[in-house]
Amino acid sequence: VTIRAASIVHLELKYAGTPLVNHRRLLDKSSLLSLFYQLLLQLSFLHKHHISHGDLKLENLLLLHNTLRLIDYGSVCFHYPCFAPTYARCTTLYCSPEELMTHRHYISTDIWSFGCCLFEMVTGRSFVYALLRTSGVSQEDARAFINYINQDTTSKQGQAMLRAFYTPYRDWETDRKSTRLNSSHSAK
């Protein structure tokens, strides 16, 4: 609702809920399944229309009366052949390896981010923190790294540091073309 009075615009916004990050590790498994099923339906709708959210994270998921709302569409990407590839704008801790490596956003990044959100809701820790710890990084250094990334969530330096912890990048497009080429030769 917008109200105009003496050249001042006032916006009254409907209360949409609290960020899901505030409910981390407080929800039982059946509630989590229900909420993440709702999120999958929302993502499925976007993806069917060749749209990716682009910044899926717990802070962009609101909970109100067992209903999950996906917010902040400022990083939405349209995936049509007529559009040029979209540059990455995802929050670093939720970025997929391919987005970190190519600086391009893909629909699959939403799925990666979805997994990161689910992991964080179940364990209470970010996926990146767990990855660092299982890679032999000390708890103190892992926390320092996460704090550093959280200070500037789209930091190029933070993204570069995080790339080192993911599997070495493979040129998926070349692999896909090569597979098609090999399968067409073997069919002859």
Side-chain angles (χ1 to χ4, degrees):
V1 175
T2 304
I3 303 166
R4 285 193 157 226
S7 299
I8 298 173
V9 176
H10 299 277
L11 293 176
E12 292 181 22
L13 302 174
K14 180 180 175 183
Y15 178 70
T18 57
L20 196 55
V21 72
N22 297 352
H23 300 276
R24 190 173 32 211
R25 297 198 65 178
L26 297 176
L27 299 169
D28 59 49
K29 287 181 184 174
S30 64
S31 297
L32 277 176
L33 284 173
S34 170
L35 294 174
F36 280 93
Y37 178 72
Q38 292 175 47
L39 180 57
L40 278 176
L41 292 176
Q42 293 173 50
L43 288 175
S44 175
F45 176 83
L46 290 173
H47 294 172
K48 281 180 188 173
H49 292 88
H50 307 283
I51 300 168
S52 60
H53 184 271
D55 195 20
L56 186 59
K57 58 186 175 182
L58 293 182
E59 291 83 353
N60 288 340
L61 300 172
L62 299 183
L63 181 61
L64 181 65
H65 307 300
N66 295 324
T67 301
L68 192 71
R69 296 179 182 192
L70 180 57
I71 64 165
D72 188 2
Y73 289 86
S75 296
V76 157
C77 301
F78 298 94
H79 301 276
Y80 290 101
C82 59
F83 287 112
T86 308
Y87 288 95
R89 295 182 296 262
C90 186
T91 300
T92 303
L93 289 176
Y94 297 87
C95 264
S96 65
E98 63 268 24
E99 184 170 359
L100 285 169
M101 301 303 174
T102 64
H103 304 288
R104 303 268 191 243
H105 190 79
Y106 304 92
I107 284 181
S108 60
T109 298
D110 280 352
I111 304 305
W112 177 273
S113 300
F114 170 86
C116 289
C117 289
L118 183 58
F119 184 90
E120 192 169 342
M121 285 301 296
V122 171
T123 66
R125 300 268 187 206
S126 78
F127 174 74
V128 172
Y129 176 84
L131 180 65
L132 292 169
R133 293 291 289 133
T134 58
S135 298
V137 175
S138 73
Q139 184 175 4
E140 182 182 333
D141 287 344
R143 284 186 179 154
F145 180 78
I146 298 296
N147 290 336
Y148 173 78
I149 295 282
N150 282 333
Q151 288 173 8
D152 181 3
T153 59
T154 58
S155 154
K156 296 292 181 205
Q157 185 178 6
Q159 290 179 3
M161 291 167 62
L162 186 56
R163 275 194 294 271
F165 291 99
Y166 287 126
T167 354
Y169 174 68
R170 294 177 49 195
D171 186 350
W172 299 107
E173 190 59 32
T174 302
D175 285 351
R176 194 169 41 233
K177 287 178 185 174
S178 152
T179 303
R180 275 191 237 135
L181 188 64
N182 290 337
S183 62
S184 66
H185 285 300
S186 62
K188 291 180 180 180

